Amino acid sequence: MAKTLDRQAVLLLLVQALYGVANALSGTFVPVYLWKASQSYTLIGWFTMGHYVMSGLTFYVAGKWVKEHNKMNSLRVGIILSGIFYCTVLLLGTQAKVYYLPLGILNGIALGFFWIAFNVVYFEVTDPDNRDRYNGWAGLLGSAAGIVAPWVSGLLITSMQGEKGYRLIFTISLVIFSVSVVLSFWLKKRHAEGIYNWKHGIQQLMQKGNPWRRMFPAIAAQGVREGVFMFLVGLTVYVATQNESKLGTFSLITSLVALISFWIVGKMLKKNNRKLAMLIGVIMIAIVILPLFWKVTYTTLLMFGIGTSLFMPLYIIPMTSRVFDLIGQSEESAREREEFIVLREAGLVLGRVIGLSSYLIVLPLNHSTVAITWLLFSVGIVPIAGWWFIRPFLVEQQA
């Protein structure tokens, strides 16, 4: 790794990995925790909506802080607020169901502060030549976190009979967040430069011929799928099995497959094969949903989860790399990296809100397994449109 990624990039990977472990330990089970307390798909939807909307608004507002002041403090505030979120859920216990919207908002603010700073630092410590490799390692470490953390959490929750287990995993997450804050102090303080342009995103999208007019809907298409899949898959596994340990095992198996896939794709993916890789990826992550139309059982959910883990890197690695390559295509755009990262997040948030809105329209009225499967399939095919929008940029790199 040291041959292609410098010490700052490796350190950033470690901070990202610890943050991912803490969230994987508890984050997988927060929707389940709220579900057990409320038995309400609507409540879960509005908790998630608060998270998505506030994450986007925080990105937009914190962009000024990250551009003009100390971006590392924004990163640390995000980690600390994530810790406060889990601490609050811990203190509220089953009463968390009453405060679902404020909790979603707090979680969104925490993630907004962390990821705006993280994405800017990620841009600064990588370049087009090693970005695919960094994303491959990030996916690999994220998958490793997903293998161990939810599996351990599921075992603890099941063996300690619920409430005690939840309290323990939320506490462990708090400790890991604290370690990642300490580790972040070894990341160099990066110099602030320039003045934040509040209107930058609108200006890009209004300008004829601007590449972001195609990139933005491609990013939004990614968000549509994420907006539903990020929480509904785990919740569906729990509802189908009524067992947190099985949800942990589901995460272990799918994350192990993802780890291997991210490692292979990260090593083999080159600029000249991104187009084909993405096309295969977006088609296959839609096709693997089809077993659920037969029957929603733990077995068919595993088939779907393994298939998704296998093919997702083919889509997500070139997608992420190409967006950041576009941000760094010139000295001028690199100087506006904070504004471009905010624009990228705006696309993701718009897509997530669209996807989640479809969830809030469909599931409160009909939460049968058939309705859930059709919803997953409907939002799961949207990345195909995203590939079509981003295709010219991938052709460009083949030339």
Side-chain angles (χ1 to χ4, degrees):
M1 184 159 52
K3 292 180 180 178
T4 51
L5 299 173
D6 66 19
R7 289 183 64 187
Q8 286 292 293
V10 173
L11 190 57
L12 186 66
L13 268 173
L14 290 175
V15 171
Q16 182 184 5
L18 283 173
Y19 190 74
V21 167
N23 275 308
L25 265 171
S26 300
T28 308
F29 294 92
V30 168
V32 173
Y33 189 68
L34 292 173
W35 165 261
K36 289 179 75 173
S38 68
Q39 300 288 302
S40 171
Y41 280 101
T42 305
L43 183 149
I44 304 296
W46 284 110
F47 163 79
T48 310
M49 184 68 83
H51 161 189
Y52 291 160
V53 172
M54 285 310 300
S55 172
L57 288 174
T58 304
F59 252 80
Y60 181 61
V61 174
K64 182 175 177 64
W65 183 14
V66 167
K67 187 175 184 76
E68 298 179 12
H69 303 287
N70 187 348
K71 56 182 71 73
M72 300 314 302
N73 283 341
S74 174
L75 187 90
R76 292 173 195 124
V77 165
I79 299 172
I80 291 166
L81 287 177
S82 288
I84 291 172
F85 165 73
Y86 288 112
C87 186
T88 305
V89 174
L90 186 64
L91 294 173
L92 287 172
T94 55
Q95 286 300 106
K97 67 180 180 182
V98 178
Y99 302 96
Y100 62 91
L101 195 55
L103 284 171
I105 289 170
L106 175 58
N107 195 27
I109 294 170
L111 292 169
F113 274 117
F114 177 83
W115 287 110
I116 175 65
F118 172 85
N119 283 325
V120 172
V121 178
Y122 156 76
F123 174 82
E124 293 174 354
V125 301
T126 61
D127 56 53
D129 293 326
N130 67 8
R131 208 157 274 146
D132 280 347
R133 186 165 290 273
Y134 182 99
N135 290 334
W137 274 105
L140 191 149
L141 292 172
S143 299
I147 289 170
V148 179
W151 179 67
V152 170
S153 295
L155 284 179
L156 289 173
I157 293 167
T158 305
S159 63
M160 299 179 76
Q161 298 182 332
E163 196 65 28
K164 286 182 181 177
Y166 278 105
R167 283 202 294 269
L168 178 60
I169 63 164
F170 291 157
T171 302
I172 295 171
S173 287
L174 286 174
V175 173
I176 296 172
F177 281 129
S178 302
V179 173
S180 62
V181 168
V182 172
L183 192 62
S184 73
F185 282 96
W186 273 270
L187 284 164
K188 290 177 185 174
K189 181 179 177 181
R190 315 192 82 79
H191 296 295
E193 54 180 285
I195 304 297
Y196 186 66
N197 180 1
W198 294 98
K199 299 178 182 178
H200 179 268
I202 295 293
Q203 290 168 349
Q204 298 297 311
L205 298 178
M206 294 292 288
Q207 186 180 38
K208 284 187 178 180
N210 190 301
W212 280 90
R213 296 183 74 163
R214 286 190 72 96
M215 186 63 83
F216 188 81
I219 295 167
Q222 176 187 341
V224 170
R225 183 187 184 280
E226 284 182 0
V228 175
F229 277 66
M230 281 201 296
F231 72 96
L232 185 56
V233 172
L235 184 58
T236 302
V237 172
Y238 174 76
V239 172
T241 62
Q242 296 294 308
N243 187 306
E244 286 95 346
S245 183
K246 283 197 171 182
L247 174 55
T249 303
F250 174 88
S251 185
L252 183 152
I253 294 168
T254 55
S255 295
L256 179 60
V257 174
L259 184 148
I260 296 166
S261 185
F262 268 107
W263 181 73
I264 293 171
V265 174
K267 285 182 74 73
M268 297 186 66
L269 195 66
K270 307 298 179 194
K271 287 183 183 180
N272 62 1
N273 60 18
R274 282 178 178 173
K275 181 186 171 187
L276 180 60
M278 275 195 71
L279 179 59
I280 294 170
V282 294
I283 291 173
M284 291 308 298
I285 60 174
I287 288 175
V288 295
I289 301 167
L290 297 179
L292 300 181
F293 282 103
W294 176 53
K295 197 174 183 182
V296 176
T297 65
Y298 190 60
T299 301
T300 55
L301 283 164
L302 260 181
M303 290 168 62
F304 152 70
I306 290 169
T308 300
S309 299
L310 195 61
F311 295 105
M312 181 57 74
L314 291 172
Y315 165 54
I316 211 67
I317 291 179
M319 179 74 198
T320 304
S321 296
R322 192 61 189 96
V323 171
F324 280 90
D325 289 350
L326 182 61
I327 294 172
Q329 68 179 350
S330 68
E331 284 188 26
E332 183 185 356
S333 62
R335 283 195 298 270
E336 297 170 335
R337 56 189 173 274
E338 291 85 0
E339 287 90 344
F340 278 120
I341 286 167
V342 170
L343 179 57
R344 171 183 181 260
E345 184 66 15
L348 286 172
V349 169
L350 175 63
R352 287 169 184 167
V353 168
I354 291 169
L356 186 56
S357 296
S358 66
Y359 164 94
L360 284 168
I361 291 167
V362 173
L363 286 205
L365 298 174
N366 180 4
H367 48 260
S368 67
T369 54
V370 174
I372 291 172
T373 303
W374 272 110
L375 178 64
L376 289 172
F377 184 72
S378 299
V379 299
I381 62 174
V382 173
I384 296 173
W387 173 84
W388 186 83
F389 278 110
I390 201 175
R391 188 169 47 93
F393 302 106
L394 303 170
V395 172
E396 190 180 292
Q397 290 212 330
Q398 284 184 311

